mmCIF file with all atom_site columns, all heavy atoms in Angstrom:
data_model
loop_
_atom_site.group_PDB
_atom_site.id
_atom_site.type_symbol
_atom_site.label_atom_id
_atom_site.label_alt_id
_atom_site.label_comp_id
_atom_site.label_asym_id
_atom_site.label_entity_id
_atom_site.label_seq_id
_atom_site.pdbx_PDB_ins_code
_atom_site.Cartn_x
_atom_site.Cartn_y
_atom_site.Cartn_z
_atom_site.occupancy
_atom_site.B_iso_or_equiv
_atom_site.pdbx_formal_charge
_atom_site.auth_seq_id
_atom_site.auth_comp_id
_atom_site.auth_asym_id
_atom_site.auth_atom_id
_atom_site.pdbx_PDB_model_num
ATOM 1  N N   . ALA A 1 139 ? 15.108 14.259 -22.705 1.00 96.00 ? 139 ALA A N   1
ATOM 2  C CA  . ALA A 1 139 ? 15.854 14.984 -21.681 1.00 96.00 ? 139 ALA A CA  1
ATOM 3  C C   . ALA A 1 139 ? 15.679 14.246 -20.360 1.00 96.00 ? 139 ALA A C   1
ATOM 4  O O   . ALA A 1 139 ? 14.739 13.460 -20.188 1.00 96.00 ? 139 ALA A O   1
ATOM 5  C CB  . ALA A 1 139 ? 15.365 16.422 -21.560 1.00 96.00 ? 139 ALA A CB  1
ATOM 6  N N   . GLU A 1 140 ? 16.571 14.506 -19.419 1.00 93.00 ? 140 GLU A N   1
ATOM 7  C CA  . GLU A 1 140 ? 16.434 13.916 -18.094 1.00 93.00 ? 140 GLU A CA  1
ATOM 8  C C   . GLU A 1 140 ? 15.256 14.562 -17.385 1.00 93.00 ? 140 GLU A C   1
ATOM 9  O O   . GLU A 1 140 ? 15.031 15.771 -17.482 1.00 93.00 ? 140 GLU A O   1
ATOM 10 C CB  . GLU A 1 140 ? 17.714 14.115 -17.285 1.00 93.00 ? 140 GLU A CB  1
ATOM 11 C CG  . GLU A 1 140 ? 17.683 13.435 -15.928 1.00 93.00 ? 140 GLU A CG  1
ATOM 12 C CD  . GLU A 1 140 ? 19.018 13.503 -15.205 1.00 93.00 ? 140 GLU A CD  1
ATOM 13 O OE1 . GLU A 1 140 ? 19.989 13.993 -15.798 1.00 93.00 ? 140 GLU A OE1 1
ATOM 14 O OE2 . GLU A 1 140 ? 19.068 13.058 -14.041 1.00 93.00 ? 140 GLU A OE2 1
ATOM 15 N N   . ALA A 1 141 ? 14.486 13.756 -16.651 1.00 92.00 ? 141 ALA A N   1
ATOM 16 C CA  . ALA A 1 141 ? 13.337 14.268 -15.914 1.00 92.00 ? 141 ALA A CA  1
ATOM 17 C C   . ALA A 1 141 ? 13.792 15.070 -14.704 1.00 92.00 ? 141 ALA A C   1
ATOM 18 O O   . ALA A 1 141 ? 14.882 14.855 -14.163 1.00 92.00 ? 141 ALA A O   1
ATOM 19 C CB  . ALA A 1 141 ? 12.441 13.113 -15.486 1.00 92.00 ? 141 ALA A CB  1
ATOM 20 N N   . GLU A 1 142 ? 12.937 16.013 -14.291 1.00 88.00 ? 142 GLU A N   1
ATOM 21 C CA  . GLU A 1 142 ? 13.235 16.791 -13.102 1.00 88.00 ? 142 GLU A CA  1
ATOM 22 C C   . GLU A 1 142 ? 12.843 16.014 -11.848 1.00 88.00 ? 142 GLU A C   1
ATOM 23 O O   . GLU A 1 142 ? 12.087 15.051 -11.902 1.00 88.00 ? 142 GLU A O   1
ATOM 24 C CB  . GLU A 1 142 ? 12.462 18.121 -13.121 1.00 88.00 ? 142 GLU A CB  1
ATOM 25 C CG  . GLU A 1 142 ? 12.863 19.068 -14.244 1.00 88.00 ? 142 GLU A CG  1
ATOM 26 C CD  . GLU A 1 142 ? 11.996 18.891 -15.484 1.00 88.00 ? 142 GLU A CD  1
ATOM 27 O OE1 . GLU A 1 142 ? 11.113 17.993 -15.468 1.00 88.00 ? 142 GLU A OE1 1
ATOM 28 O OE2 . GLU A 1 142 ? 12.217 19.621 -16.466 1.00 88.00 ? 142 GLU A OE2 1
ATOM 29 N N   . GLY A 1 143 ? 13.353 16.455 -10.724 1.00 79.00 ? 143 GLY A N   1
ATOM 30 C CA  . GLY A 1 143 ? 12.949 15.890 -9.446  1.00 79.00 ? 143 GLY A CA  1
ATOM 31 C C   . GLY A 1 143 ? 13.662 14.603 -9.092  1.00 79.00 ? 143 GLY A C   1
ATOM 32 O O   . GLY A 1 143 ? 14.607 14.176 -9.770  1.00 79.00 ? 143 GLY A O   1
ATOM 33 N N   . GLU A 1 144 ? 13.184 13.984 -8.017  1.00 76.00 ? 144 GLU A N   1
ATOM 34 C CA  . GLU A 1 144 ? 13.798 12.759 -7.522  1.00 76.00 ? 144 GLU A CA  1
ATOM 35 C C   . GLU A 1 144 ? 13.429 11.576 -8.397  1.00 76.00 ? 144 GLU A C   1
ATOM 36 O O   . GLU A 1 144 ? 12.388 11.557 -9.032  1.00 76.00 ? 144 GLU A O   1
ATOM 37 C CB  . GLU A 1 144 ? 13.351 12.497 -6.085  1.00 76.00 ? 144 GLU A CB  1
ATOM 38 C CG  . GLU A 1 144 ? 13.794 13.559 -5.097  1.00 76.00 ? 144 GLU A CG  1
ATOM 39 C CD  . GLU A 1 144 ? 13.377 13.223 -3.681  1.00 76.00 ? 144 GLU A CD  1
ATOM 40 O OE1 . GLU A 1 144 ? 12.749 12.152 -3.489  1.00 76.00 ? 144 GLU A OE1 1
ATOM 41 O OE2 . GLU A 1 144 ? 13.674 14.026 -2.775  1.00 76.00 ? 144 GLU A OE2 1
ATOM 42 N N   . ARG A 1 145 ? 14.287 10.578 -8.388  1.00 76.00 ? 145 ARG A N   1
ATOM 43 C CA  . ARG A 1 145 ? 14.008 9.357  -9.133  1.00 76.00 ? 145 ARG A CA  1
ATOM 44 C C   . ARG A 1 145 ? 12.899 8.554  -8.467  1.00 76.00 ? 145 ARG A C   1
ATOM 45 O O   . ARG A 1 145 ? 12.749 8.577  -7.245  1.00 76.00 ? 145 ARG A O   1
ATOM 46 C CB  . ARG A 1 145 ? 15.268 8.488  -9.248  1.00 76.00 ? 145 ARG A CB  1
ATOM 47 C CG  . ARG A 1 145 ? 16.309 9.056  -10.207 1.00 76.00 ? 145 ARG A CG  1
ATOM 48 C CD  . ARG A 1 145 ? 17.459 8.102  -10.400 1.00 76.00 ? 145 ARG A CD  1
ATOM 49 N NE  . ARG A 1 145 ? 18.355 8.579  -11.441 1.00 76.00 ? 145 ARG A NE  1
ATOM 50 C CZ  . ARG A 1 145 ? 18.207 8.296  -12.740 1.00 76.00 ? 145 ARG A CZ  1
ATOM 51 N NH1 . ARG A 1 145 ? 17.202 7.507  -13.123 1.00 76.00 ? 145 ARG A NH1 1
ATOM 52 N NH2 . ARG A 1 145 ? 19.052 8.758  -13.628 1.00 76.00 ? 145 ARG A NH2 1
ATOM 53 N N   . TYR A 1 146 ? 12.154 7.854  -9.282  1.00 63.00 ? 146 TYR A N   1
ATOM 54 C CA  . TYR A 1 146 ? 11.090 6.980  -8.792  1.00 63.00 ? 146 TYR A CA  1
ATOM 55 C C   . TYR A 1 146 ? 11.688 5.847  -7.967  1.00 63.00 ? 146 TYR A C   1
ATOM 56 O O   . TYR A 1 146 ? 12.710 5.270  -8.339  1.00 63.00 ? 146 TYR A O   1
ATOM 57 C CB  . TYR A 1 146 ? 10.317 6.420  -9.991  1.00 63.00 ? 146 TYR A CB  1
ATOM 58 C CG  . TYR A 1 146 ? 9.262  5.398  -9.639  1.00 63.00 ? 146 TYR A CG  1
ATOM 59 C CD1 . TYR A 1 146 ? 8.069  5.787  -9.049  1.00 63.00 ? 146 TYR A CD1 1
ATOM 60 C CD2 . TYR A 1 146 ? 9.465  4.039  -9.908  1.00 63.00 ? 146 TYR A CD2 1
ATOM 61 C CE1 . TYR A 1 146 ? 7.090  4.850  -8.722  1.00 63.00 ? 146 TYR A CE1 1
ATOM 62 C CE2 . TYR A 1 146 ? 8.490  3.103  -9.600  1.00 63.00 ? 146 TYR A CE2 1
ATOM 63 C CZ  . TYR A 1 146 ? 7.308  3.520  -9.000  1.00 63.00 ? 146 TYR A CZ  1
ATOM 64 O OH  . TYR A 1 146 ? 6.348  2.595  -8.685  1.00 63.00 ? 146 TYR A OH  1
ATOM 65 N N   . GLN A 1 147 ? 11.054 5.536  -6.839  1.00 68.00 ? 147 GLN A N   1
ATOM 66 C CA  . GLN A 1 147 ? 11.527 4.454  -5.979  1.00 68.00 ? 147 GLN A CA  1
ATOM 67 C C   . GLN A 1 147 ? 11.036 3.113  -6.509  1.00 68.00 ? 147 GLN A C   1
ATOM 68 O O   . GLN A 1 147 ? 9.855  2.783  -6.405  1.00 68.00 ? 147 GLN A O   1
ATOM 69 C CB  . GLN A 1 147 ? 11.041 4.674  -4.546  1.00 68.00 ? 147 GLN A CB  1
ATOM 70 C CG  . GLN A 1 147 ? 11.609 5.924  -3.889  1.00 68.00 ? 147 GLN A CG  1
ATOM 71 C CD  . GLN A 1 147 ? 13.129 5.875  -3.795  1.00 68.00 ? 147 GLN A CD  1
ATOM 72 O OE1 . GLN A 1 147 ? 13.701 4.894  -3.305  1.00 68.00 ? 147 GLN A OE1 1
ATOM 73 N NE2 . GLN A 1 147 ? 13.784 6.920  -4.275  1.00 68.00 ? 147 GLN A NE2 1
ATOM 74 N N   . ALA A 1 148 ? 11.931 2.355  -7.103  1.00 64.00 ? 148 ALA A N   1
ATOM 75 C CA  . ALA A 1 148 ? 11.585 1.076  -7.711  1.00 64.00 ? 148 ALA A CA  1
ATOM 76 C C   . ALA A 1 148 ? 11.330 0.016  -6.645  1.00 64.00 ? 148 ALA A C   1
ATOM 77 O O   . ALA A 1 148 ? 11.729 0.158  -5.482  1.00 64.00 ? 148 ALA A O   1
ATOM 78 C CB  . ALA A 1 148 ? 12.705 0.617  -8.634  1.00 64.00 ? 148 ALA A CB  1
#
Side-chain angles (χ1 to χ4, degrees):
E140 184 173 355
E142 295 93 358
E144 297 182 0
R145 288 186 173 272
Y146 175 74
Q147 296 299 309

